[in-house]
Amino acid sequence: MSANISPFNKGIASILFAALVWGTTGTAATFAPAVGPIAIGAAAMTGGGLLQAAIALPSLIPAWNHLRQHLPLLVLGGFAVAVYPLAFYASMRLAGVAIGTVVSIGSAPLFAALLEMIFDGSRLTSRWMLGAALGVAGIALMAPLGHEPAASTPLAANSLGIGLGLGAGLTYALYSWVARRLMLHHIPTRTVMGALFGSGGLMLLPVLMVTGAPFFQSWTNLAVGFYMAVVPMFLGYLAFGYGLARVEASIATTITLLEPVIATLLAVIVVGERLSLASWLGMGLVTLCLVWITTPAHQLTRVIRKNISLRH
């Protein structure tokens, strides 16, 4: 049965899994309120990145000469991996969770498409632009911007938070593009992800050493750090890397717009938050975006024609 599943669909499924587990990070972090967001991000990416490098080590050593031929790309990707969590969590601290998430995740597909257009000569299709617009609009509706504590912060801090959110979106798109570019040079997926995330994890190690003391204040805090490193960052990025080898970075980052939907649902079910009608509408738009982006055009045409024929 699995033999009939196309590589593209396997890639889509892997990226959906990654978005699913990434969407759990916000709820997981609420179980360790004493741990700051920078420490959470550094621990998750350091632990997950070094685990990626560890399982890839048998292939990293013999592939070193091949990787060295693309050293500028490797350094750029590792730097993007290290900067992304710091920019993302700092953005949420300065501009508020809603604004930081909207700007960071919502801008990533746009940056990914621009990178592919500039460096790969790809064209932005009207189909992709419509899907991305639906997804970004959905995330914007899901963010209760008027109720964020950050609304009372100084304008300079709020503006800096938005700028950091754009930086997070750019670095997320950048390491996704670099990873796929290296894979297209016939470097195995596991080797690429191990090299990128291992180097990014090493860059973040000093940040974790400075900010990570609260993890050792309780077993709960330690368990949260372990979960964040192993499940969302290690298993999630393992699946994301598998998907990137089969799906363009612009499509992959658009699919991960599912992440804030999952995060919102968990906030309702686990944390007890309540959603507005706009938030539910936003989740519907993101779901529509995912269907539009991931379903081949000929299948959508067939479904639409079938529905029209049934009505008549």
Side-chain angles (χ1 to χ4, degrees):
M1 185 74 176
S2 60
N4 296 326
I5 302 176
S6 69
F8 179 82
N9 288 335
K10 288 179 180 179
I12 294 293
S14 297
I15 296 166
L16 286 173
F17 170 79
L20 175 66
V21 295
W22 290 342
T24 67
T25 57
T27 297
T30 64
F31 291 95
V35 182
I38 298 298
I40 288 284
M45 196 62 85
T46 298
L50 294 181
L51 280 172
Q52 290 270 16
I55 66 164
L57 195 58
S59 64
L60 276 172
I61 296 173
W64 171 242
N65 287 333
H66 196 178
L67 286 168
R68 192 170 56 181
Q69 296 173 11
H70 308 285
L71 194 58
L73 269 181
L74 183 60
V75 172
L76 180 63
F79 178 75
V81 166
V83 170
Y84 167 70
L86 302 183
F88 179 52
Y89 288 99
S91 172
M92 290 194 293
R93 172 63 63 89
L94 291 171
V97 174
I99 295 177
T101 303
V102 167
V103 175
S104 300
I105 298 176
S107 64
L110 307 179
F111 281 125
L114 290 174
L115 287 170
E116 290 178 357
M117 181 179 68
I118 294 170
F119 296 106
D120 301 335
S122 299
R123 296 181 61 185
L124 299 180
T125 66
S126 55
R127 176 186 172 85
W128 179 87
M129 287 190 286
L130 177 58
L134 288 171
V136 173
I139 290 177
L141 283 172
M142 288 167 56
L145 302 181
H147 303 285
E148 279 298 317
S152 60
T153 60
L155 179 61
N158 196 58
S159 299
L160 178 59
I162 292 173
L164 286 167
L166 290 171
L170 175 59
T171 50
Y172 175 27
L174 185 59
Y175 73 66
S176 299
W177 176 80
V178 168
R180 180 165 173 82
R181 190 72 176 261
L182 289 171
M183 292 171 195
L184 292 176
H185 284 296
H186 306 293
I187 302 175
T189 300
R190 182 173 294 185
T191 304
V192 169
M193 298 304 282
L196 288 179
F197 283 83
S199 57
L202 286 174
M203 292 179 196
L204 281 176
L205 195 55
V207 178
L208 179 60
M209 292 174 67
V210 171
T211 62
F215 282 112
F216 299 97
Q217 292 177 356
S218 74
W219 286 107
T220 301
N221 291 355
L222 199 58
V224 168
F226 180 81
Y227 171 81
M228 299 281 272
V230 173
V231 180
M233 295 304 159
F234 175 56
L235 295 179
Y237 279 102
L238 203 63
F240 188 62
Y242 179 88
L244 271 178
R246 294 155 179 82
V247 176
E248 291 85 352
S250 56
I251 294 178
T253 52
T254 304
I255 294 170
T256 57
L257 292 175
L258 178 65
E259 177 186 345
V261 176
I262 299 299
T264 303
L265 288 173
L266 287 175
V268 171
I269 297 169
V270 178
V271 183
E273 295 183 1
R274 300 184 65 179
L275 287 184
S276 65
L277 179 61
S279 294
W280 288 113
L281 178 60
M283 282 196 292
L285 285 177
V286 172
T287 303
L288 181 59
C289 157
L290 294 172
V291 173
W292 181 259
I293 289 291
T294 61
T295 305
H298 68 275
Q299 291 186 18
L300 281 174
T301 303
R302 190 186 309 132
V303 170
I304 293 171
R305 287 176 177 174
K306 183 178 181 181
N307 287 335
I308 292 175
S309 65
L310 287 175
R311 291 180 180 179
H312 297 282

